[in-house]
Amino acid sequence: MITSGRVAVNGTTVTTLGSKADPEHDTITLDGKPITVERPRIYILLNKPAGYVTTMSDPEGRPIVTDIIKDIPERLFPVGRLDFNTEGLLLLTNDGDWANKLAHPSHEVIKEYHVKVRGDINTQTLDKLAHGVKLDDGWTAPAAVTVIRAVGKNSWLSIAIHEGRYRQVRRMCEAVGLLVARLTRFRYGNLQIDSLKPGEYRHLTPAEITSLVTNTPQKQEKGRGHQKFLHSRKKNVI
Ligand code: URA
């Protein structure tokens, strides 16, 4: 087809085999009709290390999260955001429709965070976090709050929320007088970090890709079979 003069790049007929064109930016035609190249759709689950921004570029020159994914030539972008110092489960994709479905406010994905806090953990603090705290952008919705372990003034809490406001977990903790020392997203819908170490990633399975956009929070909770959307506490640590 090329040597017989049927292919053109940006309007110029190309007859040399091995000529290069960029399907993302050049218009390639066969017999005058544009050809489209279907890009593979990629869905990645990354355990984000602290010290990376989840934007596509950073005016301050800080490391960006896509720098970590070295072996995938597609242009990926993060689904939602995690703070520079937040670690844990972050999805990346090049599928804009899928990402938009997940990010839409009507699609409430449950996100579970493990938070290392300093401060007084008592029943009132946990009740406030679980039932809603007043932030400068309004009250937070009920959350599932559990003490994972408490040693002296340091505690690890599990906080599961379905909202996704800016720095929500940090602001919730600050609002009840807790200082956040570390924050990790442990779960997103039915997905968990599992054995991935910070900086490691894997491809989602086809079933995971579909279930994320079809599962409601209720289904996600049923799938886990525990942890109602109210807090529970280990009696021995309070
Ligand atoms: N809540 C926060 O405060 N920060 C994050 O990165 C994610 C949730």
Side-chain angles (χ1 to χ4, degrees):
M1 287 187 280
I2 291 174
T3 53
S4 58
R6 294 171 61 196
V7 175
V9 176
N10 299 328
T12 305
T13 303
V14 173
T15 52
T16 311
L17 289 176
S19 300
K20 298 265 188 293
D22 177 353
E24 296 248 310
H25 300 106
D26 296 319
T27 304
I28 307 168
T29 54
L30 174 66
D31 299 331
K33 289 197 195 93
I35 57 163
T36 51
V37 180
E38 187 84 8
R39 307 300 305 172
R41 281 183 284 176
I42 308 286
Y43 307 86
I44 296 289
L45 188 166
L46 166 73
N47 185 351
K48 175 193 174 295
Y52 283 82
V53 291
T54 52
T55 46
M56 297 302 282
S57 64
D58 185 55
E60 293 173 39
R62 293 174 296 178
I64 61 173
V65 81
T66 45
D67 292 344
I68 300 171
I69 318 280
K70 297 225 188 302
D71 61 346
I72 297 172
E74 302 302 317
R75 190 174 153 79
L76 303 178
F77 53 86
V79 179
R81 63 183 304 284
L82 287 179
D83 300 333
F84 182 68
N85 280 325
T86 301
E87 302 158 60
L89 199 160
L90 181 72
L91 299 175
L92 297 115
T93 185
N94 59 351
D95 183 343
D97 291 339
W98 185 78
N100 286 341
K101 270 188 209 152
L102 279 182
H104 196 274
S106 66
H107 187 83
E108 296 177 338
V109 181
I110 294 171
K111 287 142 300 213
E112 180 182 340
Y113 296 88
H114 288 182
V115 201
K116 186 180 180 188
V117 289
R118 247 186 109 72
D120 197 15
I121 300 289
N122 53 42
T123 310
Q124 284 89 339
T125 313
L126 296 172
D127 278 342
K128 280 188 204 160
L129 285 173
H131 290 109
V133 290
K134 195 167 182 220
L135 303 178
D136 49 14
D137 52 359
W139 287 88
T140 58
V145 182
T146 322
V147 179
I148 302 169
R149 66 179 176 275
V151 187
K153 283 274 169 202
N154 286 317
S155 312
W156 277 97
L157 301 181
S158 157
I159 301 182
I161 56 174
H162 59 76
E163 298 175 293
R165 298 195 224 161
Y166 176 67
R167 297 185 77 249
Q168 179 163 344
V169 175
R170 290 178 195 274
R171 291 191 295 139
M172 284 170 68
C173 292
E174 282 157 20
V176 296
L178 299 175
L179 198 74
V180 174
R182 213 165 148 190
L183 178 58
T184 301
R185 183 152 67 192
F186 177 77
R187 179 164 75 97
Y188 187 97
N190 288 333
L191 303 173
Q192 296 195 359
I193 322 175
D194 293 326
S195 58
L196 289 177
K197 301 205 168 52
E200 290 184 346
Y201 54 92
R202 68 169 177 87
H203 289 264
L204 295 186
T205 65
E208 287 172 334
I209 297 162
T210 314
S211 78
L212 270 178
V213 286
T214 48
N215 262 358
T216 60
Q218 288 74 20
K219 281 190 196 156
Q220 293 165 24
E221 284 306 296
K222 232 186 225 163
R224 282 164 55 79
H226 70 288
Q227 207 184 42
K228 290 209 172 50
F229 236 71
L230 281 174
H231 76 82
S232 57
R233 295 182 296 275
K234 286 186 187 159
K235 288 198 178 68
N236 56 343
V237 292
I238 297 295

